[in-house]
C-alpha cells in the first residue's frame, strides 16, 4: 500500500522560438532532416510559396538568425490567436520574452517564426510538398507554444510498503515522478531530446494519482544498476549545439560546415 505521498507543484516553461541552430537540431531529431536539408527547405518557405490564386508569399521570417526576439505586432497577434483557439487559460497575461543569448550573437533578425500565426499548417498543406509542410508545421507549433502558459505538474514521491508473503517483513520501495495537472504549452508542442534514453514526453515517469493508504497491486519489480557511460558520438543535432556553445561559426555556416565534414568523409 502507499505509505506516504509527497507532492510539490512544479512548472515547466515552453522553449524559446527557433533560431537557426535550434531549428536544425529539432528538425534532425523530429523529422530526420540534415542541417543542409533543413536550410534548403527553410529557404523555400522564406522566399515564397504560391497559395492557390494568391501571389507568392513568404511563410516564415528569415531563417539565418541567432536572436529569439519577436516583433511586438506578432506577439499581440499570437496572444489573440491562443485565446481564440485554446481559451484564456492558455495565454499568459503578458507576452513571453526570451533572453538567452548565443556566444557572439549579433541579433540582427527576429526569431524564425511564421509570417502570420493565423496561416495554420492545415490551411497551406495542400500547396506545399511533404518536407515543406512538415518543417512549416514544426516552426508554427514551436512559435505558438512559446507564447502559451506553463505546464503544471505535481512532482510526486511515493513510498510503498510491501509485505512479504511468507513473513512479517515489510520492505519500503520508492517511486518518483510527476502527475500532469494542466498541460499549458504541452497541449501543442514538446521539445525532443538528444539523450536517446529519455522520453519526449517528460523528464520523469508519469505516475497515477494516488493517496496515502491506497492499496496497490504488485505487478513487477525491476532491479537496475547504473554505470557511468562515456559520452555518445555526435549526431548532426549535438554537433550543431556544440558549434554554437563553443562560438564556432555563425548561423549561416553551421550547415555548410557539417556538409563539408560529411562530404570529405
Amino acid at each position: 500500500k502507499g505509505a506516504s505521498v509527497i507532492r510539490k507543484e512544479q512548472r515547466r516553461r515552453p522553449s524559446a522560438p527557433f533560431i537557426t541552430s535550434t531549428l536544425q537540431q529539432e528538425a534532425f531529431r523530429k523529422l530526420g532532416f540534415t542541417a543542409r536539408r533543413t536550410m534548403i527547405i527553410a529557404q523555400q518557405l522564406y522566399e515564397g510559396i504560391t497559395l492557390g490564386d494568391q501571389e507568392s508569399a513568404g511563410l516564415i521570417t528569415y531563417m539565418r538568425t541567432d536572436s529569439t526576439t519577436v516583433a511586438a505586432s506578432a506577439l499581440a497577434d499570437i496572444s489573440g490567436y491562443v485565446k481564440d483557439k485554446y481559451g484564456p487559460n492558455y495565454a499568459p497575461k503578458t507576452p513571453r520574452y526570451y533572453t538567452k543569448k548565443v556566444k557572439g550573437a549579433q541579433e540582427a533578425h527576429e526569431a524564425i517564426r511564421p509570417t502570420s500565426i493565423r496561416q495554420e499548417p492545415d490551411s497551406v498543406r495542400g500547396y506545399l510538398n511533404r518536407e515543406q509542410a512538415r518543417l512549416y508545421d514544426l516552426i508554427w507549433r514551436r512559435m505558438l507554444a512559446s507564447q502559451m502558459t506553463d505546464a503544471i505538474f505535481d512532482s510526486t514521491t511515493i513510498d510503498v510498503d510491501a509485505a512479504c508473503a511468507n513473513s512479517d517483513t515489510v520492505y519500503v520501495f520508492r517511486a518518483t515522478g510527476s502527475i500532469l495537472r494542466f498541460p499549458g504549452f504541452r497541449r501543442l508542442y514538446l521539445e525532443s531530446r538528444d539523450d536517446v534514453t529519455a522520453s519526449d514526453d517528460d523528464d520523469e515517469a508519469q505516475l497515477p494519482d494516488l493517496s496515502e493508504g491506497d492499496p496497490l497491486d504488485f505487478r513487477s519489480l525491476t532491479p537496475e544498476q547504473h554505470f557511468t557511460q562515456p559520452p555518445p558520438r555526435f549526431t548532426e543535432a549535438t554537433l550543431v549545439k556544440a558549434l554554437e556553445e563553443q562560438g564556432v561559426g555563425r548561423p549561416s555556416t553551421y550547415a555548410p560546415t557539417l556538409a563539408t565534414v560529411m562530404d570529405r568523409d
Side-chain angles (χ1 to χ4, degrees):
K1 67 177 182 179
S4 70
V5 180
I6 301 173
R7 293 187 179 91
K8 183 179 179 182
E9 183 179 287
Q10 190 174 38
R11 291 175 175 263
R12 308 264 169 86
R13 287 173 57 88
S15 300
F18 283 131
I19 59 177
T20 302
S21 61
T22 53
L23 175 63
Q24 291 173 359
Q25 292 171 58
E26 193 74 339
F28 178 84
R29 299 181 193 122
K30 284 190 179 296
L31 309 179
F33 293 170
T34 64
R36 172 191 277 178
R37 191 68 194 148
T38 296
M39 296 311 290
I40 289 173
I41 300 167
Q43 181 81 38
Q44 295 166 356
L45 295 174
Y46 168 71
E47 289 181 351
I49 303 292
T50 301
L51 305 178
D53 296 333
Q54 303 176 30
E55 294 183 0
S56 177
L59 295 184
I60 65 170
T61 55
Y62 193 56
M63 64 286 162
R64 296 183 181 91
T65 178
D66 50 23
S67 172
T68 55
T69 302
V70 176
S73 57
L75 290 176
D77 191 35
I78 293 168
S79 177
Y81 180 88
V82 171
K83 292 175 182 176
D84 294 341
K85 184 81 171 179
Y86 299 101
N89 290 340
Y90 284 88
K93 294 181 179 178
T94 58
R96 289 186 182 274
Y97 296 97
Y98 296 87
T99 58
K100 180 182 177 182
K101 294 188 177 182
V102 177
K103 183 184 294 186
Q106 296 178 354
E107 301 194 342
H109 302 281
E110 280 189 75
I112 304 170
R113 63 170 178 83
T115 50
S116 171
I117 202 67
R118 297 181 186 277
Q119 198 88 269
E120 297 178 350
D122 286 344
S123 70
V124 299
R125 196 178 306 276
Y127 307 105
L128 307 178
N129 63 38
R130 185 170 184 270
E131 289 185 333
Q132 291 170 341
R134 295 177 73 198
L135 190 65
Y136 180 73
D137 181 79
L138 188 68
I139 294 169
W140 186 88
R141 287 177 180 274
R142 176 78 165 229
M143 181 65 247
L144 188 59
S146 74
Q147 292 299 317
M148 295 176 72
T149 49
D150 294 348
I152 303 175
F153 294 84
D154 282 342
S155 181
T156 307
T157 300
I158 301 173
D159 285 347
V160 178
D161 282 349
C164 290
N166 300 321
S167 72
D168 295 331
T169 305
V170 176
Y171 293 96
V172 179
F173 297 99
R174 173 167 291 175
T176 58
S178 56
I179 299 170
L180 181 64
R181 291 299 183 195
F182 179 72
F185 73 93
R186 290 167 57 93
R187 180 171 171 180
L188 184 70
Y189 182 86
L190 295 177
E191 185 174 21
S192 295
R193 303 176 179 280
D194 292 315
D195 181 359
V196 295
T197 65
S199 167
D200 278 0
D201 288 343
D202 199 43
D203 295 340
E204 300 175 294
Q206 293 288 315
L207 296 176
D209 192 358
L210 297 175
S211 299
E212 187 172 325
D214 283 351
L216 305 175
D217 292 330
F218 173 77
R219 294 187 178 179
S220 64
L221 182 66
T222 306
E224 293 182 349
Q225 188 173 7
H226 296 277
F227 298 94
T228 301
Q229 297 293 319
R233 294 184 179 186
F234 280 119
T235 65
E236 284 216 10
T238 56
L239 187 52
V240 168
K241 184 177 181 181
L243 291 173
E244 180 186 61
E245 290 175 346
Q246 297 298 322
V248 178
R250 305 284 311 135
S252 60
T253 64
Y254 298 143
T257 299
L258 265 63
T260 299
V261 170
M262 297 294 286
D263 291 344
R264 294 180 181 177
D265 202 25

